[in-house]
Amino acid sequence: MKPRSSKRAAERPSDAGSKLHKTARGAPADTKPEPTSKGGLDVEVHPLLRELAAVPTVVKKGPSLHNGRNIHELFNPYIEQTNRTSAAASRRRPLQLNAPGKFIAEANEQRATEAEERRKMQVEKEMHEKGIFPEVNTQETLFRPSFPPLVEWWDMPYLRTRSYRAFFEEKKEYYLDDEQALVSIYVQHPAPVDAADEPVETKVYLTKEERRRKRRNERQIRHKEKQDRIKLGLDSPPAPKVKLANLMNVLTDEAIKDPTAVERRVRREIQDRYDKHMAENEVRKPSKEQKMQQREAARERDLQKGLVTAVYKIKSLEDGQQFFKVDMNVKQLGLLGIALINPRFCLVIVEGGAKSVRFLKKLMTRRIQWDKRADGQPWDNSCVQLWEGELKEPSFRKWSPMYTNDDEEAYQVLKKFGHENYWRQAFNESPNASEA
């Protein structure tokens, strides 16, 4: 039995002879040769693609090979022919090794990025569950930076152009002919004012030791004048100041004769001196109206030094005792302001003299125990001072507590007094801030 390869070799001449016989009969010479095999690189190029790729038409009389490959493989229009190299050269590629830990670092970076995204999503979810919407509650849209104007309002009277660029490009001059303008070509000479003829009195402040010495000297002078008047006979000498301790030394004979009567008389004199002293104190003691006037005068002197304001953020004012302490002390100190009570948190804004505000600060941050209720039970409550500073003019006319139901209502209440920024500051206050 012959092998299959020899059988194929025997069949090839017959096939070639039949093809030549057909050509000799009258078949056209440029007739396309039939492919010897189907599929692969032996398939000829489509007639429509021959114009795109200049592939020479070759009449095959058999399986024509070029260095072991079909001619159509070498002229493939989809392969760049200029930089084409042999198969042996394409296989000779250098060995490229990845650095140790490269993929581990990429994986760690990807894990960190995913963890940060999950954390942000969790924070956003918690804020939505609590009802916190930053752009809505804090009015962040009001603080978006705006484009600068073409000409500032304070430069318009002097430029007379619509933009700075037009002023400098046209090389115009400043307009300074307006007499009412702050800057003009005219020089203002103020009228001379004569100096005051009266000398200015300078107030002298004494130290504590100097004040004591001054009182002691004045007391000695008054006592010496009294003694001189007694010596001249103008005043009667005072009665001896008898006490139970010096009874026997002052009233020797009388104390020996009737000690009981002398002791009774001495006790009566001691009581009379005490009553006289208390009566003089009552005369010098100011009345309720005078005390009120003195307090008002002290507040006026304190306000003349400057108006001070302070803002406090309190988690809750549900406890009646804590609210009473805040309300009553503010009224007694004569401060102005508002106690804004809201379900989210409470704000206490006060305005007044520096001394009164300083007293209230000690009350709010030290004396009141915010973490304990009136019955002594602990609860989650705290007080934080947001801001303290000076003002030019008061914003409130009286002290009053106000109740609101949501953030928008509280924001509108503070907006009436021009202090809506206090609500944004309290809303953005970090929970890790110093609390009392």
Side-chain angles (χ1 to χ4, degrees):
M1 189 174 180
K2 296 182 180 180
R4 184 176 297 179
S5 59
S6 61
K7 184 177 180 181
R8 289 181 179 178
E11 292 176 357
R12 285 176 184 173
S14 61
D15 296 338
S18 61
K19 291 178 182 179
L20 293 172
H21 180 67
K22 290 179 181 180
T23 306
R25 280 185 175 182
D30 57 348
T31 305
K32 296 180 183 179
E34 296 181 0
T36 57
S37 61
K38 295 182 179 180
L41 296 175
D42 295 334
V43 179
E44 294 185 0
V45 181
H46 194 274
L48 297 177
L49 298 176
R50 291 180 180 176
E51 297 179 358
L52 299 177
V55 181
T57 305
V58 180
V59 180
K60 293 196 301 183
K61 296 184 180 180
S64 60
L65 298 176
H66 183 74
N67 294 334
R69 293 189 179 184
N70 197 313
I71 187 65
H72 297 284
E73 181 184 357
L74 298 176
F75 295 98
N76 193 339
Y78 301 102
I79 300 176
E80 188 177 0
Q81 304 295 330
T82 57
N83 298 331
R84 189 172 182 187
T85 58
S86 62
S90 62
R91 294 192 192 96
R92 297 171 185 172
R93 296 177 180 176
L95 185 61
Q96 297 180 356
L97 299 177
N98 293 312
K102 172 184 176 181
F103 297 103
I104 295 176
E106 293 179 357
N108 293 336
E109 185 178 356
Q110 186 176 0
R111 292 192 195 97
T113 305
E114 294 177 355
E116 183 67 19
E117 292 178 357
R118 288 195 300 268
R119 188 188 65 80
K120 291 181 180 180
M121 293 177 63
Q122 182 66 21
V123 170
E124 185 178 356
K125 183 178 179 182
E126 292 177 357
M127 291 178 65
H128 279 280
E129 290 177 356
K130 293 179 181 179
I132 302 175
F133 305 98
E135 292 187 356
V136 178
N137 294 336
T138 61
Q139 302 292 330
E140 293 180 357
T141 56
L142 302 177
F143 294 91
R144 291 178 179 174
S146 57
F147 291 100
L150 297 177
V151 178
E152 298 291 350
W153 61 270
W154 53 80
D155 291 336
M156 286 184 179
Y158 310 109
L159 299 184
R160 298 300 178 90
T161 55
R162 294 187 177 182
S163 64
Y164 293 107
R165 179 178 296 178
F167 177 80
F168 290 108
E169 288 180 354
E170 297 176 6
K171 297 181 180 180
K172 291 188 175 182
E173 296 182 355
Y174 296 101
Y175 183 79
L176 303 174
D177 293 340
D178 190 1
E179 297 181 358
Q180 303 297 331
L182 298 177
V183 180
S184 63
I185 60 176
Y186 303 103
V187 179
Q188 182 180 5
H189 299 279
V193 179
D194 296 335
D197 297 335
E198 299 179 358
V200 179
E201 297 181 359
T202 57
K203 193 173 182 180
V204 179
Y205 295 94
L206 302 178
T207 62
K208 190 174 183 180
E209 187 62 29
E210 291 174 346
R211 290 194 299 268
R212 287 179 180 177
R213 190 184 304 114
K214 182 181 178 182
R215 287 196 302 267
R216 184 168 59 251
N217 295 337
E218 291 175 354
R219 186 166 58 250
Q220 289 178 358
I221 293 172
R222 287 195 304 268
H223 183 64
K224 187 177 180 181
E225 289 179 355
K226 186 176 181 180
Q227 286 180 344
D228 294 340
R229 291 179 65 85
I230 293 173
K231 289 179 182 180
L232 295 172
L234 299 176
D235 295 334
S236 59
K241 190 175 181 180
V242 184
K243 297 183 291 186
L244 294 177
N246 59 358
L247 174 66
M248 297 302 295
N249 297 330
V250 177
L251 305 172
T252 54
D253 297 338
E254 296 180 6
I256 294 173
K257 292 179 181 180
D258 193 358
T260 305
V262 172
E263 182 181 355
R264 188 184 303 111
R265 190 187 69 179
V266 171
R267 289 185 181 275
R268 186 172 59 253
E269 291 177 357
I270 293 174
Q271 185 64 33
D272 292 342
R273 290 196 299 267
Y274 177 77
D275 293 341
K276 180 182 177 181
H277 176 73
M278 297 304 294
E280 292 176 354
N281 287 345
E282 287 294 331
V283 172
R284 291 193 300 266
K285 184 180 179 180
S287 62
K288 188 175 181 180
E289 291 76 10
Q290 291 176 346
K291 288 182 179 179
M292 189 177 297
Q293 292 176 1
Q294 290 177 359
R295 287 195 294 266
E296 290 295 333
R299 290 170 189 166
E300 291 296 332
R301 290 194 300 269
D302 194 16
L303 283 173
Q304 288 177 1
K305 299 178 182 178
L307 184 64
V308 181
T309 181
V311 184
Y312 300 92
K313 175 186 176 182
I314 307 172
K315 284 188 177 181
S316 176
L317 283 175
E318 296 178 359
D319 189 74
Q321 185 178 13
Q322 295 177 353
F323 178 77
F324 176 79
K325 289 180 180 179
V326 175
D327 183 60
M328 187 56 62
N329 278 273
V330 171
K331 290 179 180 178
Q332 291 176 354
L333 294 172
L335 297 173
L336 309 176
I338 184 176
L340 187 62
I341 302 174
N342 190 271
R344 187 181 297 279
F345 53 82
C346 304
L347 276 184
V348 176
I349 307 172
V350 292
E351 297 176 353
K355 186 176 180 181
S356 301
V357 173
R358 186 166 57 251
F359 183 88
L360 184 69
K361 179 180 178 180
K362 295 179 181 178
L363 173 75
M364 300 288 286
T365 58
R366 299 181 189 177
R367 292 169 53 193
I368 299 180
Q369 297 181 356
W370 297 101
D371 55 348
K372 291 183 180 180
R373 294 181 179 271
D375 53 359
Q377 297 294 330
W379 69 313
D380 185 17
N381 194 15
S382 61
C383 176
V384 181
Q385 185 180 16
L386 297 180
W387 187 73
E388 181 180 358
E390 296 184 359
L391 295 176
K392 291 184 178 180
E393 297 179 356
S395 303
F396 303 93
R397 296 183 179 180
K398 62 178 182 178
W399 163 259
S400 60
M402 301 190 69
Y403 297 84
T404 55
N405 298 323
D406 53 5
D407 297 350
E408 185 65 25
E409 187 175 354
Y411 184 84
Q412 294 299 329
V413 170
L414 292 176
K415 190 175 182 180
K416 294 179 182 178
F417 302 101
H419 293 310
E420 63 273 10
N421 57 317
Y422 290 159
W423 185 261
R424 287 193 292 266
Q425 184 178 357
F427 184 85
N428 296 328
E429 178 68 20
S430 174
N432 298 326
S434 59
E435 297 183 354

